[in-house]
Amino acid sequence: MCETRPCAWRDQGDRGGVCVIRVLLAEDVQMVREALASLLELEDDVQVVGEVGNGEDLLAVAEKTQPDIAILDVNMPGLDGLTGAERLREQLSGCRILVLTVLDAPNVVRRAQDIRVDGYMVKNAPAEQLVHAVRRVMAGERVITPELALAAWEGEPSPLTAREADVLRLVAAGAESAEIAELLHLSPGTVRNYLTAVVAKLDARNRTDAVRIARDAGWLLSS
């Protein structure tokens, strides 16, 4: 689901023409997305020019709306926010990126740092901090919520190999072993072996528990 809004340039009366910060919102929870859009639209110098409800729509809407800044949720269906941020960097190099998350998993924070997003905030921050962050990012500053900065120093790297993560990511998406084998060009027996190794490495009760552990740690975001 996506919505495109008209280009933004507002005449501010006695202050003359003021260039408005053009924002693209990517958030899969509609109520949250609409609330964020309404919050930002209250500001005279901000306009939401596009909204997307999944990662697959992100690049197409960004190309159409040419935002100054994209606000991306980390966990979205289709294409996660950090992978979307990487691709958006390649497609629109001038677009700044502010990532929102409910996760403080060290591995997620480190990956955001590696991508060099312009801002990284937790969703439970006060609303006014988001508006302030948008302006700071547009001014060329880097913004990160303090608890996320602290989290970057903690935790261990993922114990999963790239292929194990691929298999578990498909399990998380609801795929069965036979489907995973076909998608990854593996034998069903090899897929079962990978899943057995994953469950053992994560000290999980079963594959469902392994998905929970890996997701909470931020190890299932696409690489």
Side-chain angles (χ1 to χ4, degrees), residues 25 73 83 132 135 211:
L25 276 176
D73 179 31
T83 302
H132 187 48
R135 294 191 179 111
V211 167

Side-chain angles (χ1 to χ4, degrees), residues 28-109:
D28 63 311
V29 180
Q30 183 175 352
M31 186 177 296
V32 174
R33 186 174 68 250
E34 291 179 352
L36 289 174
S38 297
L39 168 71
L40 292 169
E41 287 279 2
L42 291 174
E43 305 300 317
D44 288 337
D45 60 343
V46 179
Q47 185 177 27
V48 178
V49 295
E51 300 175 31
V52 298
N54 63 74
E56 297 299 336
D57 292 331
L58 174 63
L59 300 181
V61 176
E63 182 66 32
K64 184 175 182 179
T65 59
Q66 296 291 305
D68 299 310
I69 180 171
I71 300 178
L72 312 179
D73 179 31
V74 164
N75 286 309
M76 290 188 293
L79 188 72
D80 68 76
L82 294 183
T83 302
E86 284 185 298
R87 296 184 184 177
L88 193 56
R89 281 257 189 257
E90 297 171 359
Q91 180 173 305
L92 294 176
S93 59
C95 179
R96 292 174 170 84
I97 297 170
L98 175 59
V99 175
L100 301 181
T101 183
V102 295
L103 299 172
D104 62 357
N107 293 281
V108 181
V109 180

Side-chain angles (χ1 to χ4, degrees), residues 6 23 69 77 97 113 125 150-151 162 164 168 170 175 178 190 193 201 204 207 213-214 223:
V23 174
I69 180 171
I97 297 170
Q113 290 178 319
L150 179 62
E164 288 167 349
L168 194 59
L170 288 170
T190 300
N193 289 340
K201 282 184 177 182
R207 64 178 63 180
I213 293 169
S223 59

Side-chain angles (χ1 to χ4, degrees), residues 144-164:
I144 184 169
T145 306
E147 55 264 43
L148 292 176
L150 179 62
W153 293 87
E154 301 173 348
E156 298 293 331
S158 172
L160 305 179
T161 66
R163 183 56 87 186
E164 288 167 349

Side-chain angles (χ1 to χ4, degrees), residues 166-177 180 191 195 207-208 211:
D166 287 340
V167 169
L168 194 59
R169 198 174 291 117
L170 288 170
V171 171
E176 298 294 336
S177 294
I180 295 171
V191 170
L195 288 173
R207 64 178 63 180
T208 301
V211 167

